[in-house]
Amino acid sequence: MTDDTQKRKIAAPEMHGTNRSGVDIPISVPAYTVDTDNIGEPGEYPFTRGIFPNGYRGRLWTIRQYSGFGTAEESNARYKFLLEKGQTGLSVALDLPTQVGLDPTHPMAKPEIGKVGVSLSNLSEAEILFDGIDLSKISTSFTINGSAAIIYAMYLAVADKQGVPREKLTGTIQNDILKEYVARGTWIFPVRQSMRLIADSILYSNATSPRFNPISIAGAHMRDAGSTAAEEMAYTLANGLAYVDELQRRGGNIEKFAKRLSFFFYVHMDLFEEVAKFRAGRRIWAKKMKEHYGVKDPKAQHFRFGVVCGGSSLIAPQPYNNIARVTVETMAAVMGGAQSIFTCAFDEAFQIPTETSAELALRTQQIIAFESGIGASVDPLGGSYFVEEMTDKMEEKILGVMGEIDEYGGVEKAIEDGWIQKRLAERGLERKVNTDSGYNVVVGQNHFAKQDEEIKVGEVFSLDPTVAARVLEKFEKLKDTRNQAEVDTSLARLSKAAASDSENVMPYLVDCCHAYATVGEMVACLKDEWGEFREPVNL
């Protein structure tokens, strides 16, 4: 890059008149474009302005920090640290072996033990993870999908061990396998069998832990894979409707199970695009529930969602800039009406957060919550001609993408054929080209960058090199001390239940957990009955 080119980029990166969802951004919008009948009041259908009439004055969003690394002991200590600093809910990160259903002794698992989350292979580890934490008083979120039903069963077993009634449990398990097939890759079973497993877990949760959200239908990873904000919402809503159809097929009562469906998104840097995305998504979901499915209970029409502020929008160069990014994104989440917010630490682009960076990310939420005044008013941008116009246009874009999925034959067919995967890959390439060229401005990376910059941070997180050895030692001790006959019996019952499509497998998974069967053993048992998913070759 020549000196003149560098000076020109620093002086005036181009500001575009179209956002990344392809919506034209008007300079100003006349009042007559706003359709007030389509907005309503906060807490009223179609819930454009929020699902609660008093917003955060009634209840603040749940403040979570996504955390988990190494052993259960280390993660337990980090949770207690964050709770002491004012976090109001746990968000558990699981390591890759746990996510894909492998025990730590598996050859593919050993290099990844405890690296991107905590190793949680059996009930004894879960007991350590939540030791000293009263599950009746804390909301726990798990980011896991392929083995989500097993981790949920393990959480129920921990509650049983603690003497906590299951009906007092609150929290969420992500449990959204459809987006794994298209955007992330931690699948295990084929699509049809995975849909059955998710339906089983939701229906079982409705009956046994009615305050717990047994699924968080996630657009976040599709956003990371390259989708626009409008596509993120469209794919997520389409997946949500596919789960609704499966639950109804299995005899679920939509007026009941829809109250426990939740959603999960990333928030990126275009504040108004993000706010419009959430307002439009909330309205679309309410209308689908009422007009298409005939849902009468307003609570079953609610679009409840949590967010991550950060993710792929954070970068390693000039890492302290990420603090500003997360702040803007948190403001968008609050003004968009999120029920749960997790703020990434500034160093998360290149390492597991340190205690210092994790606390700073937590303080970002607390400052916005208690000092900024943003949350004092419900939908503070509502009624703005610009925001209402953007909401209408985002709704149009979202419905357009959902219509394309329907025309193709539905979400499951589109995934099995690789159609959505291909679209995401193309969009991801487009984003990369636009970033590499400087068209999409990323301060500190493609504009206002420092030549030959070294990443400078105050603290560096180092994972204890003995983690894998300690996890394996505990795992082998468990295998030696548990009652193998109970394990064998519980696994045999699980196999029999899995072979019958009319049987709910969740009670059997809970029994397996109580017997200290491992995640790998339960997954292997289900694989024997159901097989494995094979990724399609994109057209």
Side-chain angles (χ1 to χ4, degrees):
M1 182 181 295
T2 66
D3 290 341
D4 287 343
T5 303
Q6 179 66 14
K7 288 177 183 177
R8 186 165 59 251
K9 285 199 170 187
I10 291 175
E14 184 179 356
M15 190 168 292
H16 309 299
T18 303
N19 69 23
R20 296 180 189 183
S21 288
V23 172
D24 291 335
I25 303 171
I27 295 294
S28 63
V29 182
Y32 63 80
T33 65
V34 177
D35 179 4
T36 54
D37 292 336
N38 204 29
I39 300 171
E41 294 298 322
E44 295 182 3
Y45 182 85
F47 306 107
T48 306
R49 304 200 63 196
I51 60 176
F52 302 120
N54 56 353
Y56 298 125
R57 290 196 189 188
R59 180 181 179 182
L60 190 66
W61 66 87
T62 302
I63 298 176
R64 303 186 192 276
Q65 291 305 111
Y66 184 57
S67 183
F69 58 88
T71 65
E73 290 87 350
E74 290 165 315
S75 292
N76 175 265
R78 177 62 68 89
Y79 296 157
K80 289 177 178 176
F81 168 82
L82 290 168
L83 290 171
E84 181 185 340
K85 299 298 181 182
Q87 177 173 293
T88 60
L90 300 179
S91 183
V92 180
L94 286 306
D95 71 358
L96 281 175
T98 306
Q99 292 182 44
V100 297
L102 300 178
D103 284 337
T105 49
H106 192 285
M108 291 180 63
K110 289 181 180 180
E112 293 294 334
I113 293 173
K115 283 193 174 178
V116 298
V118 60
S119 176
L120 197 65
S121 61
N122 61 81
L123 178 59
S124 67
E125 296 286 12
E127 291 175 273
I128 295 169
L129 186 66
F130 296 107
D131 181 52
I133 299 173
D134 187 346
L135 300 187
S136 69
K137 297 179 179 178
I138 197 74
S139 171
T140 305
S141 171
F142 295 89
T143 302
I144 195 159
N145 299 280
S147 56
I150 294 172
I151 298 302
Y152 167 54
M154 201 180 293
Y155 192 63
L156 294 177
V158 174
D160 295 342
K161 291 282 188 178
Q162 286 191 1
V164 174
R166 294 181 183 180
E167 61 267 21
K168 288 189 175 182
L169 295 176
T170 59
T172 305
I173 194 155
Q174 194 162 99
N175 203 18
D176 176 9
I177 201 63
L178 292 177
K179 60 89 179 173
E180 292 294 322
Y181 294 128
V182 301
R184 191 163 174 271
T186 62
W187 60 70
I188 301 176
F189 311 112
V191 176
R192 171 50 43 195
Q193 287 76 12
S194 289
M195 293 292 282
R196 175 214 169 160
L197 184 59
I198 289 170
D200 282 357
S201 61
I202 293 172
L203 296 175
Y204 185 77
S205 177
N206 288 167
T208 63
S209 56
R211 297 176 63 204
F212 191 88
N213 295 326
I215 190 169
S216 182
I217 305 152
H221 303 100
M222 290 182 279
R223 189 68 177 281
D224 266 358
S227 74
T228 66
E231 290 166 341
E232 176 194 22
M233 182 60 71
Y235 294 142
T236 306
L237 293 179
N239 287 349
L241 297 177
Y243 291 126
V244 168
D245 292 339
E246 177 66 15
L247 285 161
Q248 287 194 310
R249 189 185 73 82
R250 296 188 68 81
N253 180 348
I254 191 170
E255 296 281 355
K256 184 175 182 179
F257 70 68
K259 295 178 184 179
R260 297 263 55 97
L261 301 180
S262 62
F263 297 83
F264 176 69
F265 300 93
Y266 274 139
V267 185
H268 280 217
M269 281 297 293
D270 188 326
L271 186 145
F272 291 104
E273 182 181 31
E274 295 300 318
V275 171
K277 174 184 77 177
F278 294 132
R279 297 174 89 250
R282 194 159 43 228
R283 185 159 72 201
I284 292 169
W285 184 257
K287 288 182 177 180
K288 291 288 186 183
M289 290 297 100
K290 183 177 182 178
E291 297 173 8
H292 181 77
Y293 291 95
V295 172
K296 294 182 173 62
D297 189 338
K299 291 184 178 179
Q301 300 166 0
H302 284 179
F303 178 80
R304 292 167 291 272
F305 70 96
V307 301
V308 169
C309 301
S312 64
S313 66
L314 305 188
I315 63 171
Q318 300 179 31
Y320 291 108
N321 293 344
N322 291 332
I323 299 171
R325 292 187 174 98
V326 169
T327 302
V328 171
E329 292 169 357
T330 305
M331 291 169 61
V334 173
M335 289 189 281
Q339 278 67 64
S340 173
I341 299 176
F342 151 49
T343 39
C344 286
F346 73 86
D347 54 352
E348 205 148 343
F350 53 87
Q351 68 175 7
I352 292 174
T354 65
E355 284 193 352
T356 299
S357 65
E359 183 177 350
L360 178 57
L362 174 61
R363 295 289 183 249
T364 301
Q365 285 201 60
Q366 292 166 331
I367 289 168
I368 290 173
F370 302 112
E371 294 189 37
S372 73
I374 292 173
S377 175
V378 185
D379 187 32
L381 297 181
S384 156
Y385 301 132
F386 173 65
V387 170
E388 300 300 350
E389 174 82 352
M390 291 294 288
T391 300
D392 290 345
K393 288 184 175 180
M394 285 294 284
E395 180 179 19
E396 183 181 349
K397 283 279 185 183
I398 294 164
L399 290 172
V401 175
M402 293 176 72
E404 291 174 2
I405 295 170
D406 288 340
E407 288 178 11
Y408 190 84
V411 164
E412 291 180 47
K413 177 174 171 53
I415 288 171
E416 289 172 337
D417 291 352
W419 182 77
I420 295 179
Q421 293 93 311
K422 182 173 183 288
R423 285 182 58 135
L424 280 176
E426 291 170 345
R427 191 67 82 187
L429 177 60
E430 179 183 307
R431 180 194 291 179
K432 184 178 187 310
V433 169
N434 286 340
T435 301
D436 290 348
S437 69
Y439 180 82
N440 292 341
V441 176
V442 183
V443 174
Q445 179 172 301
N446 60 18
H447 288 273
F448 312 108
K450 297 178 181 178
Q451 298 299 319
D452 303 320
E453 178 193 15
E454 293 183 13
I455 297 173
K456 297 178 181 179
V457 293
E459 295 181 72
V460 176
F461 180 91
S462 297
L463 189 66
D464 187 338
T466 69
V467 162
R470 286 187 283 128
V471 167
L472 290 167
E473 181 182 358
K474 288 191 294 176
F475 186 83
E476 295 296 351
K477 183 178 179 181
L478 170 81
K479 297 287 286 288
D480 290 340
T481 56
R482 67 184 182 175
N483 186 322
Q484 190 60 43
E486 290 183 5
V487 174
D488 293 341
T489 299
S490 65
L491 290 172
R493 290 172 177 166
L494 175 61
S495 290
K496 185 176 179 181
S500 172
D501 187 62
S502 61
E503 191 78 47
N504 190 310
V505 300
M506 280 304 306
Y508 304 95
L509 289 173
V510 176
D511 289 345
C512 286
C513 290
H514 272 298
Y516 293 92
T518 68
V519 169
E521 289 170 334
M522 287 180 267
V523 166
C525 181
L526 295 175
K527 279 183 180 179
D528 286 343
E529 295 296 332
W530 296 345
E532 295 182 65
F533 177 71
R534 291 288 181 263
E535 188 171 20
V537 177
N538 286 333
L539 301 176

